[in-house]
Amino acid sequence: MRRYSILSLARNALSHHQGWPRLWRSPEPRRAYEIVIVGGGGHGLATAYYLAKEHGIVDVAVLEKGWLGGGNTGRNTTIIRSNYLWDESAAIYEHALRLWEGLSADLNFNVMLSQRGVLNLAHTLHDLREGARRVHANRLNGIDAEWLTPAEVKAFCPIVNVARDARYPVLGATLQRRGGVARHDAVAWGYARAADARGVDIVQNCEVTGIEVSGGRVTGVRTTRGAIGARKVAIAAAGHTSVLAAMAGIRLPIQSHPLQALVSEPVKPVLDCVVMSNAVHVYVSQSDKGELVMGAGIDAYNSYGQRGSFHVIERQMAACLELFPIFGRMRMMRSWAGIVDVCPDASPIVSKTPIGGLYINGGWGTGGFKSTPGSGWVFAHTIARDEPHPLNAPFSLDRFATGALIDEHGAAAVAH
Amino acid sequence: MSGAFRLAAGGRIDRAAPLRFRFDGRPYEGLKGDTLASALLANGMHLVGRSLKYHRPRGIVAAGADEPNAIVQVGEGAWTQPNARATEVELYDGLVARNVTAWPGVGFDLGAAASLLSPLLVAGFYYKTFMAPGRWWRRLYEPALRRMAGLGRAPAAPDPDVYDKRHAHADVLVVGAGPAGLAAALAAARTGARVMLADEQAEFGGALLSEGDEIDGRPALEWVGRAAAELASLPEVVPLPRATVFGYYDHNYLAIAERRADHLGPGAPPGLARRRLWRVRARRVVLATGAHERPLVFADNDRPGVMLASAVRAYLNRYAVAPGRRAVVFTNNDDAYRTAFDLADAGIELAAVVDARSHPAGERVGEARRRGIEVLAGSALTGTRGRRRVAAVEVRRLDPGGSAVEGPARTLACDLVAVSGGWSPAVHLFSQSQGTLRFDEARACFVPDRAAQAVRPAGAANGTFTLAGCLAEGLAAGAAAARLAGFGDGTAPPAPLVRTARDGPIRPLWFVPSGRPAARDGGRHFVDLQADVTAADIRLAAREGLDSVEHVKRYTAAGMGTDQGKTANVNALALLSQAVGRPIAGTGTTTFRPPYTPVGFGLLAGRDRGELFDPVRVTPMHAWHVAHGAVFEDVGQWKRPLYYPRAGEDMAAAVARECRAARGGVAALDATTLGKIDIRGPDAAAFLDRVYTNAWARLGLGQCRYGMMCGQDGMVLDDGVTTRLAPDRFLMTTTTGNAARVLDWLEEWLQTEWPGLRVYCTSVTEQWATVAIVGPRAREVLGPLAPGLALDNEGFPFMTLREAEVAGIPARVFRISFTGELSFEVNVPAWHGLALWEAVMRAGEPFGITPYGTEAMHVLRAEKGFIIVGQETDGTVTPLDLGMDWIVSRTKDFIGKRSLLRPDASRPDRKQLVGLLPEDPGEVLPEGAQLVAARPARAIGLKAGRPIPMIGHVTSSYSSAALGRSFALALVKGGRGRIGATVYAPLVGRTLAARIVEPVFYDREGKRRNG
């Protein structure tokens, strides 16, 4: 891998940038691999990268039905935080955040991690209790967390409306200063480039149409580009996790919903942190290009169509203007949707399965992007060792049978 | 005179109505009918901004929604509109606009220094650098990049305007009122169908407003006028000018943004909604959205004065503005010859028509030659010159393959270059509706292919570029749409007569070589003017393997600007196709997403702002609470009194007083907000048996019972008292915040799982007002109000219902208690709520009756160890965890029962409800504090540190007047086995200790409820 730096940029400028190599090769898929990863988004690519880097396994193919990062990796609102309530969630998201903090250097690709701070606003006495509970739990879990009064909220983010007479006035907020945003596409490209450099085959436009199982063990996959043998198959295809699992005869407790996001026209810097609210349901940040990036809750109906309902946008705009009345004349420039897989307890599945050599990483709901490095890291461990890492052991499939759920519905301050 | 470049005659402007405006602080004059762009051009202003990355001078390129460059900030203060397109801003008197990209001004711009770095600032440069040292990104690089990015400025004050919304149904919605759209609307409207015709422009006519076409031998605008008048006369037609259809959603649901006040500026009548959002459900849709002209991608094609050929015609014909004094037309098709003729007709010198085709032979080419216009066939522009405006172009011969230029360069002096690279149908809405596109090689554009909804494209939007074709397709589409909606027989009215020129074929030319070595050519060939993306950027992306069309968009940002690439996208994907050696059809387009053009947040929010953001629900007694100084809290949508402070009292003092009244005398609570669901039907009892964990079949008439319901996961979902009103009728109460959720839950089970059960649920929360009379002297208050009602323990036992008149009002009186005290909850029809409340307060006056709020209610119930769902529970707590084994039936089935049999439900270290007594009785533990088993060695700080294992958390915590000390409820792992143990709550800087006790602190024997 040729390293990127300001010097390499300058050197290439002299040759009119003719000398830059491909970020990743585009090989024809081989007939068999040790490990086939289904899904070329952030999670699948990170898994491939950590398989190579941490476990020395490079006989790996990542199969992507469309273009790399074209699923939820390229459709989310790029928020990163680890201030989850439950120990299990906090541990895996904090592990991810620590990897995020070194990711640009590790990948030699600037993923533009911007730790500008994430505010979770509280609007009711119930929010206050839950916010305090989360702050206390975060601190004891070794995660930075602060409680801000309305005046401190105003100081940290001057354009937030903290008026006492608002319909749902801001009564306080939690703040994770290490939270922030990153450049979502760059995460897929950076992992792809780094994994490719270590020998992983990345194959785009290769849709998996079947999973071969023999004697209770996986033996390979069928694809639109032919059969590919594999000793192990790992599913990391958010939005279609249950569809792929069904190819191996596994029924997952997952429901798939559209989750919409939108950006405004770009304006000069006006919002320098991430603001999230559950009671006034919306989350907003401003990208480096100047666009306000916004999202809210999932569309209620199950769907695989990557588009949502208009009324959801109308509602989140009303919420946005409650929090930021000065945005009334801002304009929505583009809206879109991804499909999120939601488990009954709103926590992911990173797990072995009843079929030998078949692994599942999915059900991240609305938390997928922020978990990307941690998810790939523990999934690689699970695949390489054929046993979960302690960080993802609680997120095994059998929890739905034992009842050891990690319910982030009632506990998470915001539903994502 | 409104500008030196205003033509002496023609145009749809009102020469008698001059309008003053300012741009970048300088005063100018325009005319009514101008856009800001046409008014600037009339004053000779081409340079209106600088490019984002390289700060190159940029001018007006287009005349409509496709404009990439002329982005301005319009208006001031709270009314300022960032990122308006000058080509869409209708001029009004006093308009103030500023460029958004240059400082101090567009002429001299300090940012232009950035162009020195341009060799480094290629596509994706920021992914390759700024990585070390790590924290410099956030501190230095990112802030610098952020300041460079962005266009206009967000207003600093809330938007003072109002926005309205409407719903509408249409048999036929026609989008676009150009020739095809007008024809479609006419054909549909004449059948009597309900027709809506929406167009983004101020007046109907579309492209005809900008062209000199004729229909039936007369100026086409006469036909437009007749069509508009006929439509306006038909009662079932809704004509909507200034209305942009921006979104096409599933089931023929379309969203329209109508501008009502923008063009009036400060002169708009007060109270007029600035914009209106139409949400239309249409039986059939005709998309007559026209087409966008494509620029040609040649070296230095971004210099001000380089415009789309059709835009030049628009400025000449519609606005009577000469965009220059000496022009060059550069084209690969016959359509642009119209620009040459219109320029010549307006008396503007024409240097030449440069035609990329070797042997152009269309009818218009012949006409040009006949008119003495020099046609340089088989040639191309290889460069432009000029500082702030184009001053000359360089022309060379193009080789037959189009990949190189040859021969000597010829320089043509000019101040205007009219460019046409062909037309791209505006397929945005068709594509949003999930219709597919195909690439038409002959017309060199993407055209609609298969429709996915009840929609039909017509005219230029369908790739039909002749006026005759547009009219014929429009008429046919309108008639067909009406027939499919149930009107008329589908016969199209006869098409008017239009003469069609015999055009020769287009020569697709996606990249115009400049004669430089191929490797160095393309760095100043701009593809996306707004995002500053060049042909070299597209090729770099392809070279680096980012060769899907979506990757190119995301890597280079082409098509991601405020114009969403209307002029850029097709050129970009054609260049990509060339770079990777793939046919354009195989490359495909990026996904078209709503909105077609940007839509204001305020419009989307409509009136749902402030008080109306979410309905405010108040009880019938609300005015009394306000008058008596209550402090309120939001509980769901309800406003509930939190406490009633007296003069000089703080919250703690008020709550303590309210609690003392309830325990020692009598107090009253407005309990109206509790959810109430009337459950009726022969199977009502069987249904309750399934949704509650305890048994209901044998509950007697007039008996009340506390019930608990679980989710399928066995976790507590809600609780409340339910009463049997009749053999087949129950009144269920729910927690205030959960009322709607519980009703949904019941309906979901009834409708999807147990449709055989004959049960009907009705919300009656709003129909009843409830006053709880609480305390040892409650009988003395209620007695005189309800003389017919026996109140003693035998006559009116605990957990029963009596119907009686209270204060002369028919009432249901429940003897239930959420405080542990003697308590009667009196329910009356809601409109009597205030009367009842006032009667109770009067009757209680001799006994010092005290109104109490939710905080005192919480303290009182916590003293008794009563839980609150959502406070002692969080979706992970079973009834058994709460120590309420008695409420879980072992004999019958209920929702969640199987989950309670899972191994995890009987794990010994589950969190269980316990009481806490802080070591310091004056210290109230913070609610939400986490608990640990051993005192931590060090105090906790704000920064991330090493994890410390937690065993539970404080769910409720108060100071108790009755106990004379602080106390708390908590969920603690294996808590019941830890009674007597000490736990610790580590806070920042200090740690509090508390002893685990039973969770009932007051009247453990339960004697007080009998008074």
Side-chain angles (χ1 to χ4, degrees):
Chain A
M1 185 171 82
R2 242 181 292 168
R3 289 191 65 77
Y4 291 155
S5 68
I6 185 75
L7 288 177
S8 72
L9 200 56
R11 212 166 35 242
N12 274 279
L14 297 178
S15 58
H16 303 276
H17 300 283
Q18 296 295 306
W20 291 112
R22 293 178 65 93
L23 270 69
W24 57 84
R25 297 162 295 127
S26 186
E28 278 300 309
R30 297 206 304 268
R31 293 188 55 189
Y33 291 88
E34 160 108 13
I35 298 169
V36 161
I37 297 169
V38 185
H43 287 232
L45 293 164
T47 304
Y49 173 69
Y50 293 116
L51 275 171
K53 183 188 177 208
E54 304 288 341
H55 306 279
I57 304 172
V58 298
D59 186 11
V60 176
V62 178
L63 308 182
E64 167 55 48
K65 74 173 174 183
W67 41 282
L68 280 199
N72 293 347
T73 299
R75 295 168 188 272
N76 62 82
T77 50
T78 82
I79 296 169
I80 292 167
R81 62 187 178 92
S82 65
N83 56 351
Y84 279 69
L85 175 69
W86 298 116
D87 297 350
E88 299 87 349
S89 310
I92 198 164
Y93 284 105
E94 176 64 12
H95 181 64
L97 180 51
R98 290 183 190 215
L99 289 170
W100 275 115
E101 286 172 328
L103 197 59
S104 291
D106 188 30
L107 299 178
N108 180 234
F109 200 89
N110 191 351
V111 299
M112 303 188 189
L113 174 70
S114 178
Q115 293 178 288
R116 56 189 53 208
V118 174
L119 281 177
N120 289 103
L121 302 179
H123 300 270
T124 63
L125 299 181
H126 176 78
D127 285 355
L128 287 184
R129 269 192 300 272
E130 290 304 313
R133 180 182 174 196
R134 200 156 45 82
V135 163
H136 289 300
N138 289 160
R139 285 173 180 161
L140 289 168
N141 269 323
I143 295 168
D144 70 305
E146 292 170 48
W147 178 259
L148 304 190
T149 64
E152 289 166 334
V153 170
K154 186 83 184 160
F156 188 77
C157 183
I159 63 172
V160 167
N161 176 26
V162 296
R164 294 290 306 167
D165 61 351
R167 176 66 185 89
Y168 292 111
V170 172
L171 302 182
T174 68
L175 168 63
Q176 184 178 24
R177 290 185 194 269
R178 288 163 63 235
V181 293
R183 174 82 181 98
H184 55 9
D185 294 322
V187 176
W189 302 338
Y191 271 122
R193 172 170 170 264
D196 173 89
R198 289 175 184 268
V200 171
D201 277 1
I202 293 165
V203 186
Q204 299 182 83
N205 302 309
C206 180
E207 181 173 358
V208 169
T209 55
I211 295 175
E212 304 285 1
V213 178
S214 173
R217 273 204 67 85
V218 73
T219 59
V221 294
R222 290 190 300 277
T223 78
T224 49
R225 294 170 70 169
I228 300 174
R231 285 211 319 115
K232 295 177 177 179
V233 172
I235 296 170
H240 283 72
T241 312
S242 50
V243 177
L244 278 153
M247 291 178 188
I250 298 174
R251 193 164 168 238
L252 293 179
I254 277 180
Q255 304 222 27
S256 300
H257 294 264
L259 175 64
Q260 301 191 65
L262 63 92
V263 291
S264 74
E265 294 181 308
V267 288
K268 291 293 176 194
V270 62
L271 176 62
D272 196 34
C273 61
V274 181
V275 178
M276 314 176 77
S277 169
N278 200 24
V280 182
H281 201 136
V282 70
Y283 38 96
V284 190
S285 67
Q286 188 178 20
S287 74
D288 286 343
K289 287 200 294 191
E291 303 149 339
L292 298 174
V293 184
M294 294 172 47
I298 57 175
D299 276 37
Y301 294 99
N302 295 138
S303 172
Y304 292 116
Q306 289 172 319
R307 59 191 192 279
S309 298
F310 182 57
H311 71 272
V312 176
I313 301 284
E314 293 179 87
R315 190 63 193 156
Q316 84 178 56
M317 275 310 174
C320 174
L321 296 192
E322 277 302 288
L323 300 182
F324 302 101
I326 68 165
F327 287 163
R329 295 171 98 85
M330 294 289 296
R331 299 193 294 188
M332 171 172 84
M333 183 169 80
R334 189 171 61 249
S335 64
W336 65 92
I339 302 302
V340 295
D341 290 336
V342 183
C343 290
D345 59 355
S347 282
I349 300 166
V350 185
S351 180
K352 298 172 65 173
T353 68
I355 294 170
L358 182 67
Y359 308 87
I360 288 177
N361 178 350
W364 288 92
T366 54
F369 179 71
K370 62 181 73 70
S371 73
T372 303
S375 161
W377 194 92
V378 297
F379 200 35
H381 180 105
T382 306
I383 300 162
R385 308 274 182 89
D386 195 37
E387 65 179 10
H389 187 275
L391 284 171
N392 66 306
F395 298 98
S396 294
L397 199 45
D398 63 2
R399 76 176 187 272
F400 301 105
T402 65
L405 304 178
I406 303 157
D407 197 318
E408 289 287 348
H409 277 303
V414 184
H416 44 77
Chain B
M1 187 65 194
S2 64
F5 290 80
R6 185 76 68 183
L7 296 171
R12 300 182 68 74
I13 32 99
D14 183 353
R15 290 169 196 271
L19 304 171
R20 288 154 305 153
F21 70 101
R22 300 178 82 86
F23 181 71
D24 274 351
R26 288 222 188 123
Y28 297 95
E29 202 174 279
L31 295 174
K32 190 167 163 53
D34 264 329
T35 62
L36 176 59
S38 69
L40 285 168
L41 289 172
N43 286 281
M45 284 285 292
H46 274 253
L47 173 60
V48 292
R50 293 276 176 158
S51 76
L52 202 64
K53 224 154 82 172
Y54 308 123
H55 282 255
R56 289 166 66 96
R58 290 287 163 83
I60 296 162
V61 168
D66 47 345
E67 171 61 40
N69 276 343
I71 308 299
V72 295
Q73 184 104 17
V74 175
E76 293 178 301
W79 278 272
T80 190
Q81 176 63 58
N83 301 347
R85 267 183 289 277
T87 51
E88 291 185 309
V89 175
E90 294 180 53
L91 200 65
Y92 53 82
D93 198 50
L95 182 145
V96 176
R98 288 188 311 280
N99 98 82
V100 297
T101 44
W103 189 85
V106 290
F108 174 72
D109 167 36
L110 284 177
S115 61
L116 296 176
L117 288 173
S118 64
L120 294 182
L121 306 184
V122 291
F125 73 96
Y126 28 69
Y127 301 123
K128 294 177 172 137
T129 181
F130 303 142
M131 284 174 276
R135 67 174 72 91
W136 283 28
W137 168 251
R138 172 73 186 135
R139 300 244 175 100
L140 183 67
Y141 304 131
E142 189 185 37
L145 283 177
R146 281 170 84 82
R147 275 196 299 276
M148 281 169 59
L151 293 168
R153 291 184 186 280
D159 187 350
D161 279 320
V162 294
Y163 301 87
D164 277 339
K165 295 186 181 182
R166 287 193 62 168
H167 284 285
H169 292 264
D171 296 314
V172 180
L173 169 63
V174 180
V175 185
L182 281 169
L186 278 177
R190 284 173 185 167
T191 66
R194 292 173 302 171
V195 174
M196 290 183 78
L197 174 61
D199 189 277
E200 61 183 353
Q201 304 250 17
E203 55 178 329
F204 288 168
L208 296 177
L209 297 167
S210 303
E211 308 283 6
D213 290 303
E214 291 190 344
I215 295 178
D216 285 335
R218 299 286 305 157
L221 288 171
E222 290 183 11
W223 178 84
V224 170
R226 280 197 308 277
E230 182 179 344
L231 290 169
S233 74
L234 294 170
E236 295 294 341
V237 174
V238 178
L240 282 179
R242 294 192 178 94
T244 304
V245 181
F246 66 83
Y248 197 144
Y249 299 88
D250 286 357
H251 309 294
N252 262 23
Y253 187 68
L254 294 94
I256 307 176
E258 182 194 3
R259 304 184 309 280
R260 308 184 73 211
D262 295 73
H263 59 292
L264 303 173
L272 175 66
R274 181 185 179 214
R275 291 180 183 171
R276 191 152 62 178
L277 177 69
W278 291 76
R279 292 164 295 188
V280 182
R281 189 77 69 178
R283 281 213 171 90
R284 310 292 308 183
V285 171
V286 176
L287 291 178
T289 46
H292 295 130
E293 196 166 24
R294 286 192 301 266
L296 287 163
V297 180
F298 57 99
D300 291 323
N301 59 337
D302 64 329
R303 221 176 283 286
V306 179
M307 304 177 77
L308 291 170
S310 58
V312 171
R313 294 201 294 280
Y315 290 115
L316 287 171
N317 300 325
R318 183 171 178 183
Y319 302 106
V321 169
R325 303 281 192 216
R326 189 167 199 268
V328 168
V329 174
F330 181 25
T331 184
N332 64 349
N333 63 74
D334 281 355
D335 189 63
Y337 282 78
R338 295 203 278 169
T339 304
F341 304 148
D342 289 353
L343 284 165
D345 292 346
I348 293 164
E349 193 180 343
L350 192 60
V353 174
V354 179
D355 193 324
R357 298 170 298 181
S358 312
H359 303 287
E363 180 185 329
R364 287 174 171 135
V365 182
E367 186 186 340
R369 290 190 169 122
R370 271 197 306 284
R371 289 175 66 154
I373 295 171
E374 184 174 13
V375 176
L376 300 174
S379 301
L381 297 198
T382 54
T384 66
R385 269 183 264 147
R387 274 190 39 154
R388 294 174 190 169
R389 170 90 182 259
V390 64
V393 295
E394 193 180 77
V395 183
R396 296 180 71 182
R397 288 209 46 91
L398 193 64
D399 84 349
S403 58
V405 288
E406 55 203 17
R410 179 173 160 194
T411 301
L412 300 173
C414 63
D415 62 357
L416 174 67
V417 182
V419 179
S420 178
W423 288 82
S424 297
V427 294
H428 305 64
L429 292 174
F430 184 80
S431 184
Q432 282 181 29
S433 78
Q434 306 299 307
T436 59
L437 307 177
R438 71 182 165 81
F439 189 73
D440 184 309
E441 295 284 350
R443 286 175 285 184
C445 59
F446 283 94
V447 294
D449 191 10
R450 283 190 313 279
Q453 300 199 41
V455 59
R456 181 161 156 176
N462 198 31
T464 300
F465 297 129
T466 64
L467 177 52
C470 285
L471 291 168
E473 262 188 29
L475 290 167
R483 186 184 67 75
L484 290 166
F487 296 86
D489 62 3
T491 309
L497 286 177
V498 178
R499 167 151 161 56
T500 302
R502 292 182 310 281
D503 283 346
I506 185 173
R507 174 188 184 176
L509 182 65
W510 305 110
F511 180 82
V512 183
S514 71
R516 288 151 66 94
R520 282 165 38 203
D521 208 12
R524 293 207 305 242
H525 288 60
F526 286 88
V527 178
D528 187 320
L529 291 160
Q530 189 176 109
D532 250 3
V533 177
T534 66
D537 288 326
I538 306 281
R539 291 171 181 164
L540 174 62
R543 188 177 309 126
E544 296 193 84
L546 293 160
D547 50 11
S548 95
V549 63
E550 290 283 355
H551 282 153
V552 168
K553 165 181 154 186
R554 287 150 184 269
Y555 195 59
T556 66
M560 297 189 81
T562 63
D563 57 340
Q564 292 287 285
K566 291 187 177 64
T567 54
N569 284 347
V570 176
N571 282 337
L573 68 91
L575 283 164
L576 169 67
S577 301
Q578 280 186 344
V580 297
R582 202 165 45 197
I584 291 174
T587 297
T589 64
T590 57
T591 312
F592 291 87
R593 296 284 186 187
Y596 171 69
T597 50
V599 180
F601 285 14
L603 179 64
L604 293 166
R607 301 265 179 171
D608 294 353
R609 300 177 63 177
E611 280 287 282
L612 299 181
F613 168 65
D614 207 22
V616 177
R617 299 171 81 183
V618 296
T619 72
M621 299 81 117
H622 187 74
W624 191 96
H625 304 319
V626 172
H628 289 77
V631 173
F632 291 89
E633 71 161 321
D634 288 306
V635 183
Q637 294 170 326
W638 291 97
K639 295 282 183 194
R640 296 197 75 180
L642 181 61
Y643 60 100
Y644 299 80
R646 287 183 183 162
E649 265 184 349
D650 63 4
M651 178 169 167
V655 170
R657 174 177 50 74
E658 291 170 15
C659 288
R660 276 195 300 273
R663 294 268 184 244
V666 63
L669 175 79
D670 178 357
T672 304
T673 63
L674 278 192
K676 297 180 266 299
I677 302 172
D678 190 292
I679 299 174
R680 285 199 214 198
D683 298 320
F687 177 59
L688 291 182
D689 263 343
R690 297 188 193 183
V691 297
Y692 277 129
T693 59
N694 48 345
W696 293 80
R698 281 199 282 276
L699 184 70
L701 283 187
Q703 300 279 318
C704 312
R705 181 168 290 169
Y706 173 76
M708 181 164 269
M709 53 180 86
C710 290
Q712 286 143 300
D713 55 4
M715 304 301 155
V716 173
L717 184 81
D718 202 61
D719 68 348
V721 171
T722 289
T723 304
R724 191 164 209 159
L725 302 176
D728 62 347
R729 187 175 179 197
F730 293 82
L731 181 71
M732 173 187 282
T733 61
T734 73
T735 52
T736 297
N738 257 352
R741 186 171 160 218
V742 170
L743 182 60
D744 284 351
W745 176 251
L746 301 180
E747 286 292 349
E748 183 181 340
W749 285 94
L750 283 173
Q751 292 178 29
T752 67
E753 303 296 327
W754 303 323
L757 286 187
R758 291 160 300 166
V759 179
Y760 310 95
C761 301
T762 309
S763 167
V764 293
T765 304
E766 302 268 359
Q767 277 63 41
W768 295 90
T770 306
V771 180
I773 306 169
V774 176
R777 309 191 76 169
R779 286 194 182 98
E780 293 168 70
V781 176
L782 183 57
L785 289 172
L789 188 60
L791 295 179
D792 59 297
N793 287 321
E794 289 70 40
F796 193 170
F798 186 57
M799 294 305 270
T800 59
L801 159 73
R802 293 289 180 270
E803 304 214 0
E805 281 204 350
V806 179
I809 306 162
R812 292 171 178 167
V813 185
F814 298 83
R815 212 194 125 193
I816 55 181
S817 177
F818 194 40
T819 57
E821 298 298 328
L822 173 66
S823 165
F824 300 93
E825 295 198 0
V826 184
N827 285 245
V828 295
W831 49 86
H832 298 302
L834 181 57
L836 172 69
W837 178 267
E838 287 178 334
V840 168
M841 297 312 286
R842 268 195 308 276
E845 206 173 351
F847 313 99
I849 193 165
T850 303
Y852 71 98
T854 49
E855 183 65 11
M857 175 187 86
H858 283 188
V859 176
L860 295 166
R861 63 87 205 176
E863 288 169 347
K864 285 290 294 174
F866 296 152
I867 63 139
I868 286 186
V869 170
Q871 191 159 342
E872 272 66 40
T873 73
D874 57 11
T876 69
V877 178
T878 69
L880 309 171
D881 297 338
L882 297 170
M884 297 169 74
D885 312 42
W886 52 270
I887 207 168
V888 181
S889 167
R890 290 175 207 291
T891 52
K892 58 144 197 165
D893 199 8
F894 57 85
I895 297 169
K897 181 162 191 174
R898 271 173 300 165
S899 292
L900 291 176
L901 300 175
R902 292 187 291 193
D904 200 71
S906 49
R907 188 164 38 85
D909 66 341
R910 287 191 67 83
K911 285 189 181 178
Q912 295 167 330
L913 184 71
V914 294
L916 293 180
L917 289 175
E919 206 167 59
D920 174 355
E923 183 88 61
V924 178
L925 296 170
E927 288 177 347
Q930 297 288 325
L931 302 171
V932 300
R935 184 182 286 277
R938 270 193 318 248
I940 309 296
L942 284 178
K943 291 255 159 65
R946 201 173 308 152
I948 300 171
M950 291 164 261
I951 60 167
H953 74 282
V954 177
T955 58
S956 298
S957 181
Y958 311 98
S959 175
S960 164
L963 304 177
R965 59 161 300 144
S966 60
F967 74 105
L969 296 173
L971 287 166
V972 174
K973 284 182 183 172
R976 281 199 291 278
R978 297 184 194 246
I979 302 266
T982 299
V983 290
Y984 301 88
L987 310 176
V988 172
R990 64 195 180 122
T991 297
L992 305 178
R995 188 161 49 87
I996 298 184
V997 297
E998 289 288 342
V1000 184
F1001 297 86
Y1002 188 76
D1003 182 32
R1004 297 191 62 170
E1005 304 75 27
K1007 288 180 182 157
R1008 300 188 58 86
R1009 71 185 186 210
N1010 287 328

